[in-house]
Amino acid sequence: MDTGTIKIVAALICDAAGRVLLVRKRGTIAFMQPGGKRDPGEDDISALSREIAEELGCGVVRDSIRPLGEFDAIAANEPGFRVQACLYGIDVTGDITPSREIDETIWIDPSAPPDILLAPLTRDHVLPLASAERGAGNA
């Protein structure tokens, strides 16, 4: 039973080969998009920029930000909750260096993900979207 909804911003980051960056947060097992909750009074872009800096140690290329939609899924790490994610495609600048909040980063082919546990949002919405964009030559 769902007890609530967690509203987040999330990033779809692709490399030149069309692979998607996923993160595994400390103390969890599911891989997902980087991102997180907005601070009070924070808009999506500010929250996304802050989360990317905190989680990955790099910056968001402001001119690259494109809204990809709002998606709803079962929360990967909060039993009984759902996530409502505003997803943005972004490019980053600087080296991607996982922070203390992130245990692992991986690049995967969205059309053929490895045998790893994926967050429902990533599995059901983000990777199919990334595959479609890659097939259309937009990734």
Side-chain angles (χ1 to χ4, degrees):
M1 170 194 256
D2 292 337
T3 59
T5 300
I6 301 165
K7 295 184 178 189
I8 63 167
V9 292
L12 173 58
I13 302 170
C14 297
D15 67 7
R19 296 178 306 164
V20 173
L21 179 70
L22 300 180
V23 302
R24 186 174 55 76
K25 296 190 177 192
R26 187 155 321 271
T28 68
I29 56 173
F31 284 88
M32 62 187 59
Q33 275 25 79
K37 300 171 191 161
R38 296 168 196 84
D39 283 344
E42 206 171 34
D43 65 28
D44 284 3
I45 303 309
S46 297
L48 193 61
S49 297
R50 176 183 50 75
E51 287 287 346
I52 295 302
E54 288 175 2
E55 291 183 359
L56 302 175
C58 56
V60 173
V61 177
R62 299 291 266 191
D63 294 345
S64 74
I65 300 168
R66 60 195 189 287
L68 299 174
E70 191 171 302
F71 302 94
D72 181 81
I74 295 169
N77 299 319
E78 292 86 4
F81 283 83
R82 298 189 70 78
V83 291
Q84 184 178 61
C86 291
L87 181 68
Y88 292 87
I90 65 167
D91 295 330
V92 296
T93 183
D95 293 334
I96 294 173
T97 307
S99 75
R100 63 185 180 278
E101 179 181 340
I102 302 298
D103 267 348
E104 189 175 357
T105 60
I106 59 170
W107 291 96
I108 68 162
D109 177 343
S111 301
D115 187 20
I116 57 174
L117 182 61
L118 298 168
L121 176 73
T122 299
R123 180 192 66 223
D124 299 341
H125 299 289
V126 180
L127 294 184
L129 180 65
S131 289
E133 281 201 344
R134 182 179 183 188
N138 295 329

